[in-house]
Amino acid sequence: MINPIIQAMQARAELLDIQGSTQGLDDALANLAGWIELRQEELHEDDLAVLLEVGGILYREGLNRRMGE
């Protein structure tokens, strides 16, 4: 059974494809960073840590792709 949040992400990805979106990892990072910046003071420390880890993973994956790994 797939997690409902992952299902929602999959549905969103499919919608982005249907819409012809060209957004990629850099766009996702920019959106995440902008959202965190706006909400940083409202976020619990644990939530901020998780979001920064997700951002770190996205950043690393984007860097690895650019480096050809």
Side-chain angles (χ1 to χ4, degrees), residues 16-42:
L16 289 169
D17 286 343
I18 290 168
Q19 293 172 336
S21 174
T22 59
Q23 291 182 319
L25 283 174
D26 290 339
D27 300 302
L29 278 169
N31 288 340
L32 179 60
W35 186 85
I36 290 173
E37 187 174 16
L38 287 174
R39 304 282 188 232
Q40 188 170 358
E41 292 183 16
E42 301 168 21

Side-chain angles (χ1 to χ4, degrees), residues 38-67:
L38 287 174
R39 304 282 188 232
Q40 188 170 358
E41 292 183 16
E42 301 168 21
L43 293 170
H44 187 275
E45 186 176 319
D46 292 341
D47 296 332
L48 181 57
V50 169
L51 291 169
L52 291 176
E53 183 164 342
V54 169
I57 292 167
L58 290 172
Y59 182 86
R60 182 188 66 203
E61 291 300 312
L63 184 61
N64 286 343
R65 284 185 184 186
R66 284 190 284 282
M67 300 297 283

